[in-house]
Each structure stands twice: as C-alpha cells, then as structure tokens.
Amino acid sequence: MADSGVASLPPHHPQCLGCGPDNPAGLHLSVYRDGDEVFTDLAFDARHRGAPGLAHGGAISAACDDLFGFVLYVVEEIAVTRTLTVEYRAPVPLGQRHRITARLHHRDGRRLHLEATGVGEDGVTRFTAQALFIVVDIDHFSDHGTELDVHAMFTQHPLRTREGG
C-alpha cells in the first residue's frame, strides 16, 4: 500500500468470522481504510465453495457484512446489522482476488445505510450489497459476552462507546 492515505485496520477480535486471524473457519479479511471508504482484497478458497469452482453466496454475504462493520470506524458509531441484501451479478470464481469496497451511503438518525461493491481482478463487478445498520449502546452486547471481551472489542478501535459521549 504505497498511498499514505490508506491505513490498515485491526480485526474486530481474534475469533471474528470475517476478519479474525485465529478463526480457522474464518475469511481472514485484511481491511484498510481509504478516506471515507474501507476495502479488502479477498480470494475465496475451497472452504468457501458453493457450486463447483465458485464461491458460496453465504461466504460472499459474510464478507460484505463483516466489511460493513469496519465502516463503523469511519462513522465512529457502534451499530448492528438490521438488514443485508446482496445482489449477485456474476459468478464469483474461487481463487480470483476481489476488491470489496464499502461506505456509508447516508444516515437517518440511528439508521446507517451502507453500500458495498465486489469487483474481480478482471474488472468485472460480481456483486453489490446494501445494508441497514442501527446505532446501539455498548450495553446491547453486554448480555452476550463477557464484559472484558465487549469492552476490548470497542476500546481497541476509534469508536465512541456512547457512555456519555
């Protein structure tokens, strides 16, 4: 990454399905921020197979959903996925690198409208995605993880915790 405006972002947590380096079943996304956008370069492999030679739609959807989670660092909010729609425009071959780019399209109060595009190394747009994320307080996660894990997930990143500011 020669562009000094591009910054590497840390994984959400080590076991994250999308970006966690310690999850053997994960996608192992390496994510970068470039201005108001985030992106990853991903080649789906045999673990992500759907039809012969092609990526499974669920793996593509998981990659988009996880990448949308990194847009939250740009908007500095804690939010969760309400809806996710993926438009599969062309088959996604295994082993071919795809750049997936995501951004905030617009905001309406607590509703964050996000969009993403997946383009193969051959320049073909193979999928697009739209999501609605809802801004929540950190307490939303407290009942589902240890307090230490929840706190670590949000303090290692430049997000406001919405606990007073």
Side-chain angles (χ1 to χ4, degrees):
M1 302 287 151
D3 184 353
S4 62
V6 175
S8 177
L9 297 172
H12 295 120
H13 58 82
Q15 288 295 324
C16 179
L17 176 67
C19 59
D22 297 342
N23 186 333
L27 295 168
H28 303 141
L29 301 180
S30 293
V31 179
Y32 302 89
R33 179 177 179 174
D34 187 4
D36 290 339
E37 296 184 334
V38 295
F39 68 90
T40 188
D41 292 323
L42 175 63
F44 294 97
D45 62 36
R47 296 172 301 146
H48 314 123
R49 180 179 181 240
L54 300 174
H56 191 284
I60 296 165
S61 178
C64 291
D65 191 38
D66 198 65
L67 189 62
F68 283 140
F70 285 90
V71 174
L72 302 178
Y73 303 150
V74 175
V75 299
E76 297 181 334
E77 294 285 10
I78 298 170
V80 294
T81 310
R82 169 68 58 89
T83 61
L84 172 65
T85 303
V86 180
E87 180 181 347
Y88 303 98
R89 297 173 145 198
V92 178
L94 296 177
Q96 183 182 116
R97 185 179 60 82
H98 286 77
R99 169 140 315 167
I100 310 171
T101 304
R103 72 201 62 73
L104 174 70
H105 182 265
H106 71 279
R107 180 180 185 147
D108 181 17
R110 292 179 49 221
R111 301 165 72 91
L112 305 175
H113 298 266
L114 309 174
E115 60 187 11
T117 304
V119 179
E121 58 193 358
D122 57 3
V124 174
T125 298
R126 292 206 162 74
F127 54 92
T128 59
Q130 298 78 40
L132 172 61
F133 273 49
I134 304 297
V135 174
V136 296
D137 290 327
I138 195 169
D139 294 340
H140 176 88
F141 300 94
S142 297
D143 291 340
H144 307 288
T146 68
E147 186 174 333
L148 184 60
D149 288 341
V150 170
H151 183 69
M153 189 167 143
F154 296 111
T155 57
Q156 69 178 337
H157 302 290
L159 288 173
R160 292 177 287 178
T161 61
R162 303 188 61 78
E163 293 174 340

